[in-house]
Amino acid sequence: MKITDIKIIVSSPGRNFVTVKIFTDEGLTGIGDATLNGREKAVVAYLQDHLVPVLTGRDPQRIEDIWQYLYKGAYWRRGPVTMAAIGGIDTALWDIKAKAAGMPLYQLLGGASRERLMAYVHAQGSEIAQTVEAVARRMEEGFRAVRAQVGIPGLPAVYGTDKSATNTADLNGLPQEEVWSTPKYLRHVPKLFEALRGDLGWEVELLHDVHHRLTPIEAARLGKDLEPFRLFWLEDAVAAEHQESFRLIRQHTVTPLALGEVFNTVWDARLLIEEQLIDYIRMTTVHAGGVTPLRRIMDLAGLYNVRTACHGAMDMSPACLAANLHLGLWAPNFGIQEYSPYMPETLDVFPGAWTVSDGHLHPGEAHGHGVEIDEALAAKFPYERSYLPVNRLEDGTLWHW
Ligand code: GCO
Ligand code: MG
């Protein structure tokens, strides 16, 4: 088999997606997600200028060699742009290999380790009562695990509490600016979880995303304050450049910790995994550089009691979610899968075999990863420039978003 053509498709059915589509001389095609939210065009250039030219004519079945060629062979390794580009190619190659084998991808990985994958969804409100109501609605929809975020008194909408606060541009087409106060946040969040447990009880798994904003000692304090409410996890408690920070946090709290959505290689997570400083690794197919490396990372994590929890926000396309679901169905150490329901136009452009029911996901039995792209429809949704917001403290200091 030979790669005859590779198309890089940029479309915006509800939000921007970069999709790699690989064509072969045997008529099989495969797709992979290469979306890097707010930096889409950089990945497109990396793919078009540097990867497509070296892949045409190669045997698409030699996935490992191609991955090594793109990673080691580039000399300049790692980084979100590089790894998202490689991730798009690698996912499309696994799609083709599984189609050629006549089986769903999870079978090729070693078969199912479970019947279905527990999902968690988001619930938010600007006030505690609203978030409690939103979590209750999610429970009624059948979800067993819900991430709860709440607005902070005295601050405008913060991360995770207002739909308009993600991936938009201000009136001048520039990133929106948010305002942050750690003391106000730390005072308020435990009250949310107290209310949630008081009103909704103990059956539901509750999660919370700090979105990188605390220092290690602040994160340790929050973890302690939340202990009575038995969270499923506390996510991205600090900016993770210092993996060592988690030694301190870990010593002080038994609240489980999740991390890794911004990681792009195993080297970002090695110490965290080997020292068992986290409970869940949140790396996802596209940003980890594809199925090839993520499978290895999941296996390494399994050796150290760390479970999987692939990042599944809606800014990664259904092709990424599908690959995550195949990996999750196989992984002996699967933990949970984030699920952020897609907009209808996204699902029209990316029809797929995966299903969601009763709070659980399944990748389906279609050959490959089971998601395709409707190219004609995709062409009707052209790219729209957008940014993730930036964040400042009340005195104007730039902070982690
Ligand atoms: C999550 C994430 C997202 C990210 C987004 C950035 O837990 O799902 O934190 O909300 O902010 O994916 O592009
Ligand atoms: Mg997150």
Side-chain angles (χ1 to χ4, degrees), residues 49-63:
D49 296 345
H50 306 294
L51 301 195
V52 172
V54 302
L55 291 174
T56 313
R58 278 175 198 271
D59 178 355
Q61 305 210 74
R62 296 185 61 178
I63 300 177

Side-chain angles (χ1 to χ4, degrees), residues 124 130 132-143 200:
Q124 66 260 334
Q130 281 174 0
V132 173
E133 230 175 82
V135 173
R137 269 201 304 278
R138 291 311 211 171
M139 290 166 67
E140 277 161 26
E141 290 163 18
F143 291 100
L200 304 178

Side-chain angles (χ1 to χ4, degrees), residues 373-381:
I373 183 166
D374 180 336
E375 288 183 64
L377 190 58
K380 296 194 177 141
F381 297 98

